[in-house]
Amino acid sequence: MPFITDRYHDQNRNRQPAAPPVSTPDTPASLAERLRSRVLGQDPAIDAVVRAITLARAGATEPDRPLATVLLLGPTGVGKTELVRQAAAALRSGPDDLCRVDMNSLAQEHYAASFNGAPPGYAGSKESFTVFDRSTVEGDPYTPGIVLFDEVEKAHPTVLRALLGVLDNGMLRLANGQEKISFRNSFVFLTSNLGSKELARRRGSRWRTLLDRGHTRRAVVDKALRSFFDPEFLNRVDETVIFDELDRATVERVARLETDLLRARLRRRGVDLQVDESAVRLLADRGFDPVYGARGLRRTLRTHLAAPVAEEILRARPTGTAPLRIAATAAAGTVRATATGPES
């Protein structure tokens, strides 16, 4: 089925070949600090990823399996995919230098052939088309490969069973019987939202006080996990991590981080954006929703901060790239942007 495999190869095509390391790799402590600077409020998940990388660097992993197989569980918008992207940035050439497979596009049973190619007698069986990009899966002597199966619960169960051999012995034999793809130098990450719907349903009920207890919340997720996955699949996962919902303090930190990223983007266009703390707090208040996580905050920032700032930039500087200073403050429940530079 070349149509879906071609799409994934287009997605994973713009990869820079890894070069020999020119600096000392991050220590476990510095790697954890680097990940915490981009993924906020998820220390247990970061510790699990750092632990997997540390074991692999020390050579303590089994040689006939992937370096690590980590299942990341939690509601949408809490940083599951972003954590894997930042791990790729630390281990490879950038946050997009990984083989990412969106499992929601493999929701039908016959898509199991997209992993190891079409079976004999079907179109494409000799070519052995596959969704995996070999270079980012197998890595090289200097860098490991990273594979992300995103939203794994969206795939058909038959598709997931096709992964059992990969997670067990780290090898994927293609359908033509002549080629293999090795996962033994790869970190395999799987993300899932299992249990999130049930937690969201109970959040507004009288069970809220019980759900605040970590063991009760874990029990809900574990039940959903075991009812969906086969036991032999879960038995091949090295570590399962449950992400926490974002609380009010974390959302405010995320708002500052997203604001800094916006300021960095505008700085490249000659705009110095200054955001007052009152505006950051307003964005956190408007964007805080435990159901949608950081994605809801990003939409709020786009509507309530980026939009008025863009309008003020085009008002004060219709053309050209002359330096411009913009101040954003909160007033009367909205964010106001005012040009304070020489062209205001």
Side-chain angles (χ1 to χ4, degrees):
M1 48 188 63
F3 63 95
I4 192 169
T5 52
D6 287 348
R7 184 170 61 131
Y8 276 113
H9 283 302
D10 289 340
Q11 172 182 303
N12 296 318
R13 181 168 293 156
N14 297 324
R15 302 286 185 259
Q16 297 296 326
V22 296
S23 60
T24 304
D26 291 333
T27 63
S30 62
L31 176 60
E33 186 64 25
R34 176 175 179 174
L35 295 178
R36 287 192 179 97
S37 67
R38 293 304 305 271
V39 181
L40 306 178
Q42 305 295 346
D43 289 349
I46 292 174
D47 292 340
V49 172
V50 172
R51 182 164 49 248
I53 296 173
T54 302
L55 288 170
R57 282 180 172 172
T61 57
E62 299 179 42
D64 56 350
R65 296 189 65 221
L67 297 176
T69 303
V70 182
L71 176 59
L72 307 176
L73 297 167
T76 180
V78 295
K80 301 185 297 296
T81 302
E82 183 63 19
L83 177 57
V84 180
R85 294 181 70 252
Q86 294 307 317
L91 298 178
R92 296 178 62 86
S93 64
D96 295 319
D97 190 9
L98 76 165
C99 181
R100 176 174 175 175
V101 180
D102 293 319
M103 302 296 278
N104 53 19
S105 61
L106 306 178
Q108 300 180 20
E109 181 178 1
H110 62 270
Y111 280 123
S114 63
F115 285 160
N116 55 2
Y122 286 81
S125 60
K126 294 182 180 181
E127 293 83 356
S128 292
F129 291 109
T130 176
V131 298
F132 298 111
D133 181 66
R134 190 184 294 267
S135 63
T136 51
V137 171
E138 297 184 343
D140 55 50
Y142 305 107
T143 54
I146 295 182
V147 183
L148 169 62
F149 296 101
D150 207 8
E151 294 186 329
V152 67
E153 80 280 2
K154 303 292 195 305
H156 193 277
T158 302
V159 176
L160 298 180
R161 295 187 189 105
L163 291 175
L164 291 178
V166 171
L167 302 183
D168 189 34
N169 56 37
M171 297 295 293
L172 176 67
R173 181 181 292 275
L174 301 185
N176 62 7
Q178 301 175 358
E179 299 179 52
K180 294 181 180 178
I181 298 179
S182 174
F183 288 72
R184 295 180 177 179
N185 188 38
S186 298
F187 293 98
V188 178
F189 296 98
L190 308 97
T191 69
S192 174
N193 299 326
L194 285 171
S196 300
K197 185 180 294 185
E198 177 65 15
L199 290 174
R201 186 183 68 83
R202 298 187 181 188
R203 184 175 293 109
S205 69
R206 60 188 178 88
W207 296 98
R208 176 59 188 269
T209 55
L210 295 177
L211 289 174
D212 288 339
R213 303 175 185 175
H215 67 277
T216 305
R217 185 170 177 273
R218 172 174 283 275
V220 173
V221 177
D222 283 344
K223 181 180 179 181
L225 186 67
R226 297 181 185 280
S227 64
F228 181 84
F229 290 109
D230 295 332
E232 57 267 27
F233 186 90
L234 292 177
N235 206 29
R236 287 165 169 80
V237 175
D238 295 324
E239 192 164 358
T240 300
V241 183
I242 300 178
F243 278 60
D244 296 324
E245 294 179 348
L246 299 183
D247 56 20
R248 179 62 178 77
T250 303
V251 168
E252 192 164 324
R253 294 171 58 199
V254 174
R256 291 192 182 93
L257 177 61
E258 292 292 336
T259 300
D260 290 340
L261 294 176
L262 176 62
R263 294 180 62 217
R265 292 194 296 268
L266 293 177
R267 192 177 298 117
R268 293 193 291 268
R269 304 292 295 269
V271 178
D272 179 20
L273 174 62
Q274 301 296 326
V275 182
D276 189 73
E277 278 297 312
S278 61
V280 174
R281 289 192 295 270
L282 177 63
L283 293 172
D285 292 336
R286 292 282 183 87
F288 178 60
D289 190 334
V291 175
Y292 298 106
R295 288 191 176 94
L297 177 61
R298 191 171 295 140
R299 288 191 294 269
T300 300
L301 184 140
R302 178 180 183 273
T303 303
H304 296 279
L305 176 62
V309 167
E311 291 177 1
E312 184 65 12
I313 291 174
L314 295 181
R315 185 198 67 80
R317 194 185 65 182
T319 59
T321 59
L324 184 64
R325 182 178 295 108
I326 301 289
T329 59
T334 61
V335 176
R336 294 182 179 179
T338 306
T340 61
E343 293 190 3
S344 63

